[in-house]
Amino acid sequence: MHSFLTVIGSLATLSSITLAAPLKARQDDPQCIDGLKKIFMPEMHNIYIYEDVPEFPSTSTILNVMNGSSSNSVQDQVAVWSNIPSTATQCSLGWAVTEDRSFSVYDNGLIRFFELSGVPPAGTNITAETIAPFMEEGAKNASIDFTFWAEQTGAHTHGGGLVDCKSEMAFYLTKDMVSGGPGSVTLEQNAQNGLFLAIDC
Ligand SMILES: *[C@@H]1O[C@H](CO)[C@@H](O)[C@H](O)[C@H]1NC(C)=O
Ligand SMILES: *[C@@H]1O[C@H](CO)[C@@H](O)[C@H](O)[C@H]1NC(C)=O
Ligand SMILES: *[C@@H]1O[C@H](CO)[C@@H](O)[C@H](O)[C@H]1NC(C)=O
């Protein structure tokens, strides 16, 4: 009887530790649902492209890609997912929003992504210059369309395309000016909103 109560006691302690764990730790290991894990909140690096202004590195939680009609308003981004388990053999990009989100699309919302062949070594600032060696011809690329979706209330989830599984995966995101046109996409990312990497589990 006594040891039974001790077990109950330690279970209660364990579960309160689990509940007290920081939110971030739980998002890092999302649940496996129907054989898929969706990993939200990639590390986002802004790539500002302003004429005659030297590049400065910056990161963000917001998916924010634009190319307006003037050359002064271009922003690309690099999204990085790290520590992908080697057991993942099927990987794809997608995006989702819940009812409660901060999301806007101005004009055309077509974004093209290119899978980078790697990421610069830790400690290197991510800029157009440092990622250039990782942009290879023939890279996996596809467009994801956010146009008109900001006005659609409620939760919705969208597939984006298959990518190659690697332990560190990085994608260059840019406004698609060929199939799309000028515009911008702004989406605040958290555990349920924004880009996700779906892996088999
Ligand atoms: C922005 O769009 C213009 C065409 O409107 C294009 O020439 C330019 O390359 C684009 N910039 C980037 C960085 O994609
Ligand atoms: C990274 O960028 C910061 C801010 O511009 C700069 O101070 C720092 O020297 C850069 N680091 C490297 C390794 O280039
Ligand atoms: C984009 O993907 C196509 C195949 O779908 C490929 O032919 C093309 O080279 C890729 N573009 C780049 C810039 O890697």
Side-chain angles (χ1 to χ4, degrees):
M1 188 62 183
H2 186 251
S3 62
F4 178 67
L5 284 178
T6 311
V7 169
I8 299 282
S10 24
L11 282 178
T13 310
L14 268 181
S15 63
S16 57
I17 288 171
T18 309
L19 288 175
L23 193 59
K24 179 84 172 91
R26 278 183 278 146
Q27 286 158 1
D28 281 345
D29 195 17
Q31 276 186 298
C32 189
I33 298 169
D34 297 333
L36 270 191
K37 254 184 201 189
K38 288 182 185 157
I39 310 169
F40 283 85
M41 297 174 72
E43 205 179 283
M44 302 294 287
H45 300 269
N46 298 321
I47 308 287
Y48 298 112
I49 301 166
Y50 297 127
E51 264 171 40
D52 305 325
V53 175
E55 258 201 289
F56 53 98
S58 73
T59 58
S60 178
T61 57
I62 303 171
L63 168 69
N64 186 206
V65 171
M66 68 182 100
N67 186 341
S69 39
S70 88
S71 57
N72 280 333
S73 53
V74 180
Q75 183 174 312
D76 293 343
Q77 285 185 313
V78 174
V80 181
W81 280 267
S82 303
N83 304 319
I84 303 307
S86 57
T87 48
T89 56
Q90 287 190 335
C91 298
S92 65
L93 272 197
W95 64 280
V97 291
T98 58
E99 173 71 31
D100 181 19
R101 77 289 180 110
S102 172
F103 179 27
S104 60
V105 177
Y106 183 73
D107 284 346
N108 184 272
L110 196 68
I111 290 179
R112 182 160 285 270
F113 71 80
F114 296 87
E115 185 165 8
L116 300 178
S117 61
V119 272
T124 311
N125 289 325
I126 304 231
T127 62
E129 196 178 25
T130 61
I131 55 142
F134 302 99
M135 296 185 74
E136 288 177 2
E137 190 51 47
K140 284 262 162 60
N141 63 91
S143 283
I144 36 184
D145 202 355
F146 295 84
T147 316
F148 304 125
W149 283 108
E151 295 99 271
Q152 299 296 318
T153 54
H156 40 94
T157 300
H158 308 255
L162 289 175
V163 294
D164 291 327
C165 301
K166 291 190 280 273
S167 68
E168 273 210 292
M169 301 174 69
F171 300 90
Y172 193 86
L173 307 167
T174 187
K175 189 75 203 59
D176 189 328
M177 302 300 281
V178 179
S179 311
S184 71
V185 175
T186 309
L187 172 55
E188 178 79 51
Q189 303 192 107
N190 56 34
Q192 291 174 305
N193 292 286
L195 295 174
F196 63 77
L197 179 69
I199 64 171
D200 54 327
C201 50

